[in-house]
């Protein structure tokens, strides 16, 4: 089985009840993008219309390997055509508003997903599994998209920071590399790893790498301030710093869910599914009563001031913190406010809304004279911040092979 074989196989549309006007200080557009992430779309739009990134208002980040439609705002003084398109991006003005769009300013996301190359004998299994998952719901895990900052390393940079190991955090950032990084960046990082502390040699090795701007900026600082790793870390792009913190806080939250699932009575039969930060646990089946009970459970995002409304949630959260060799009151970062673990809570379990029954038809992309594959299409709504890929994993569709 295949998912995300093309962007049109994974469609995401924001749903918002935000009122619009005929005029106002902010212009609101519908942004449609395909095969490009939100940051990339922002860069293209910002460059085209000379709009600073901080002036572009978005309610959330959307997948790269998808066809997505989301709302975006700009101050009205920027001259943007009513309709505009370039590469894989389209803008269409919807109206005006008194306030910019901020992170989280949406009611829900609607997903339309297609599972391809389903063999005849797999169809009923996929369809029945999808119907059960869409009816009774899934754990509201943060999924792999949240953990992009882990690529190339299994070290949580935020955990190093919590422990005061600023040098370890900087070293992880400057020496971790994956095959997706440009060759010149990999070359630079390899030399930093082998020559750690010898900043002149590191700079010399990276000097011919124009794409290694972050690395050279930090090395130049360490040449002059060889012991000030905290300030060196703060030279990393602020959005990336916040991603490091969010990834670790999300991991702690996911682990808390797993502890609670293992304590459900009567016990649940659970299966493991890999994701970027470890393994998710999914019930093989669940009763309607248990699903409703779990959907009423709120788990706080762990931070020094986290409040627990139930003893079982407190037990699970503190167990996760203890397993990490940390203490809840020590999660305060010796750094700027934006670097602190954020407050708030998240539902442990979500039940999709506005579900369309799974439909089955011929997979026109993969069928051939020898094999007539089927495709299964599902459509549903999830609250902002929940991941449709978790739904697919719960159904049993986990591979993301694309041609």
């Amino acid at each position: 089985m295949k998912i995300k074989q093309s962007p049109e196989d994974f469609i995401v549309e924001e749903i918002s009840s935000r009122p619009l006007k005929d005029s106002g200080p902010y212009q609101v557009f519908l942004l449609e993008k395909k095969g490009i992430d939100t940051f990339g779309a922002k860069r293209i739009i910002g460059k085209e219309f000379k709009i600073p990134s901080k002036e572009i208002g978005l309610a959330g980040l959307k997948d790269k390997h998808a066809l997505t439609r989301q709302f975006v705002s700009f101050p009205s003084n920027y001259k943007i055509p009513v309709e505009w398109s370039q590469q894989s991006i389209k803008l269409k003005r919807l109206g005006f508003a008194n306030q910019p769009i901020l992170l989280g300013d949406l009611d829900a996301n609607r997903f339309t997903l297609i599972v391809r190359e389903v063999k005849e004998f797999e169809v009923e299994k996929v369809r029945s599994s999808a119907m059960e998952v869409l009816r009774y719901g899934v754990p509201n895990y943060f999924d792999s998209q949240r953990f992009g900052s882990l690529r190339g390393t299994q070290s949580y940079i935020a955990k190093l920071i919590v422990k005061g190991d600023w040098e370890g955090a900087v070293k992880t950032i400057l020496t971790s590399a994956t095959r997706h990084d440009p060759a010149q960046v990999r070359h630079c990082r390899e030399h930093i790893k082998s020559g750690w502390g010898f900043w002149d040699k590191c700079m010399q090795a990276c000097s011919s790498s124009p794409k290694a701007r972050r690395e050279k900026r930090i090395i130049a600082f360490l040449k002059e301030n060889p012991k000030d790793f905290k300030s060196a870390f703060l030279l990393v792009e602020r959005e990336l710093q916040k991603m490091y913190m969010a990834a670790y806080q999300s991991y702690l939250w996911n682990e808390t869910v797993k502890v609670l699932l293992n304590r459900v009575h009567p016990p649940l039969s659970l299966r493991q599914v890999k994701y970027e930060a470890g393994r998710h646990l999914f019930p093989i089946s669940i009763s309607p009563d248990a699903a409703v009970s779990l959907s009423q459970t709120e788990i706080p995002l762990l931070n020094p001031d986290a409040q627990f409304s139930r003893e079982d949630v407190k037990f699970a959260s503190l167990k996760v913190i203890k397993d990490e060799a940390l203490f809840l009151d020590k999660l305060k970062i010796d750094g700027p406010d934006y670097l602190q673990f954020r407050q708030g809570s998240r539902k442990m379990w979500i039940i999709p809304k506005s579900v369309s029954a799974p439909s089955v038809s011929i997979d026109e992309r993969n069928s051939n004279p020898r094999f007539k594959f089927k495709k299964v299409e599902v459509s549903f709504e999830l609250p902002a911040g929940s991941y449709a890929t978790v739904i697919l994993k719960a159904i049993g569709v986990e591979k993301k092979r694309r041609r």
Side-chain angles (χ1 to χ4, degrees):
M1 289 182 282
K2 296 180 180 180
I3 61 172
K4 294 189 174 182
Q5 198 173 7
S6 73
E8 290 80 5
D9 289 348
F10 197 99
I11 300 174
V12 190
E13 299 171 285
E14 286 187 349
I15 300 171
S16 174
S17 55
R18 181 189 184 99
L20 296 178
K21 304 161 56 179
D22 293 332
S23 62
Y26 293 92
Q27 48 191 325
V28 177
F29 285 76
L30 182 67
L31 165 62
E32 179 178 295
K33 63 180 187 62
K34 181 169 65 174
I36 184 172
D37 63 26
T38 305
F39 291 121
K42 280 183 69 175
R43 283 193 293 271
I44 291 172
I45 294 168
K47 183 177 181 180
E48 176 71 20
F49 299 106
K50 298 180 173 53
I51 307 174
S53 178
K54 65 181 180 180
E55 299 263 44
I56 302 175
L58 292 161
L61 304 179
K62 298 291 181 281
D63 285 0
K64 175 179 180 178
H65 301 293
L67 171 61
T68 70
R69 300 182 182 99
Q70 63 188 118
F71 303 106
V72 58
S73 69
F74 314 96
S76 294
N77 58 293
Y78 291 103
K79 296 186 183 301
I80 304 171
V82 174
E83 293 191 19
W84 174 84
S85 64
Q86 180 177 314
Q87 299 179 29
S88 298
I89 301 171
K90 295 180 181 178
L91 284 175
K92 181 178 181 179
R93 187 189 296 150
L94 301 176
F96 296 83
N98 289 331
Q99 300 294 331
I101 294 175
L102 302 176
L103 195 64
D105 277 353
L106 69 156
D107 300 332
N109 287 298
R110 181 154 193 87
F111 296 90
T112 302
L113 313 180
I114 296 176
V115 182
R116 293 188 179 274
E117 207 172 88
V118 182
K119 298 180 176 69
E120 189 68 45
F121 72 87
E122 297 174 316
V123 169
E124 186 53 37
K125 179 182 178 182
V126 172
R127 179 163 51 188
S128 60
S129 178
M131 290 177 67
E132 181 169 350
V133 166
L134 294 173
R135 182 177 181 183
Y136 298 123
V138 294
N140 193 20
Y141 291 123
F142 294 98
D143 208 7
S144 295
Q145 302 94 309
R146 186 78 165 185
F147 301 92
S149 59
L150 266 185
R151 289 176 189 145
T153 175
Q154 287 304 307
S155 299
Y156 283 99
I157 291 167
K159 184 176 181 179
L160 296 170
I161 292 172
V162 168
K163 292 190 168 187
D165 185 5
W166 295 96
E167 180 176 2
V170 173
K171 188 172 184 178
T172 300
I173 293 168
L174 293 184
T175 61
S176 301
T178 73
R179 61 185 178 84
H180 302 292
D181 293 315
Q184 57 186 239
V185 172
R186 295 200 305 271
H187 171 81
C188 171
R189 291 181 180 181
E190 287 167 4
H191 280 278
I192 295 173
K193 188 174 184 177
S194 61
W196 187 256
F198 297 93
W199 307 122
D200 285 322
K201 290 183 178 179
C202 292
M203 182 62 80
Q204 185 177 358
C206 297
S207 60
S208 60
S209 304
K211 292 188 177 180
R213 291 185 292 271
R214 179 193 307 141
E215 290 78 3
K216 289 188 284 188
R217 181 171 67 247
I218 295 174
I219 291 170
F221 175 84
L222 288 173
K223 280 179 62 178
E224 303 298 324
N225 308 273
K227 300 294 184 182
D228 192 358
F229 290 100
K230 178 180 175 181
S231 296
F233 174 84
L234 296 177
L235 292 175
V236 174
E237 300 91 316
R238 182 176 293 193
E239 286 303 312
L240 189 53
Q241 294 179 44
K242 290 158 74 172
M243 287 173 63
Y244 294 143
M245 307 309 295
Y248 189 52
Q249 190 177 40
S250 301
Y251 167 76
L252 297 176
W253 193 93
N254 281 355
E255 292 298 298
T256 302
V257 171
K258 290 161 63 175
V259 174
L260 287 168
L261 286 175
N262 275 306
R263 288 170 58 83
V264 170
H265 292 283
L268 298 170
S269 295
L270 301 167
R271 67 182 181 92
Q272 299 184 11
V273 179
K274 283 185 177 182
Y275 78 112
E276 189 75 32
R279 294 178 184 273
H280 290 319
L281 290 181
F282 291 99
I284 294 173
S285 64
I286 191 167
S287 69
D289 288 345
V292 170
S293 175
L294 292 175
S295 70
Q296 295 171 345
T297 302
E298 289 268 347
I299 302 175
L301 299 169
L302 294 184
N303 64 82
D305 302 313
Q307 300 294 313
F308 304 96
S309 58
R310 286 174 26 181
E311 283 301 314
D312 60 336
V313 175
K314 182 177 181 180
F315 170 85
S317 299
L318 295 183
K319 181 183 186 307
V320 170
I321 288 291
K322 182 179 179 181
D323 290 347
E324 290 288 300
L326 298 172
F327 297 94
L328 191 63
D329 61 351
K330 302 298 183 184
L331 291 182
K332 181 161 179 66
I333 307 299
D334 178 23
D337 288 344
Y338 69 80
L339 211 55
Q340 306 303 321
F341 290 115
R342 68 187 182 93
Q343 298 185 9
S345 64
R346 181 178 174 91
K347 284 188 177 295
M348 174 182 172
W349 191 270
I350 48 166
I351 300 176
K353 296 182 178 180
S354 302
V355 173
S356 298
S359 64
V360 180
S361 58
I362 294 294
D363 179 2
E364 74 290 346
R365 179 183 290 270
N366 297 297
S367 292
N368 57 59
R370 291 185 60 200
F371 297 103
K372 298 296 183 184
F373 293 111
K374 299 295 180 68
K375 65 181 180 182
V376 180
E377 180 174 322
V378 295
S379 183
F380 51 87
E381 290 178 14
L382 293 179
S386 296
Y387 292 80
T389 47
V390 171
I391 298 285
L392 289 172
K393 289 174 180 174
I395 291 171
V397 183
E398 295 142 29
K399 292 183 179 179
K400 295 187 178 181
R401 296 181 299 157
R402 293 182 296 275
R403 282 182 184 167

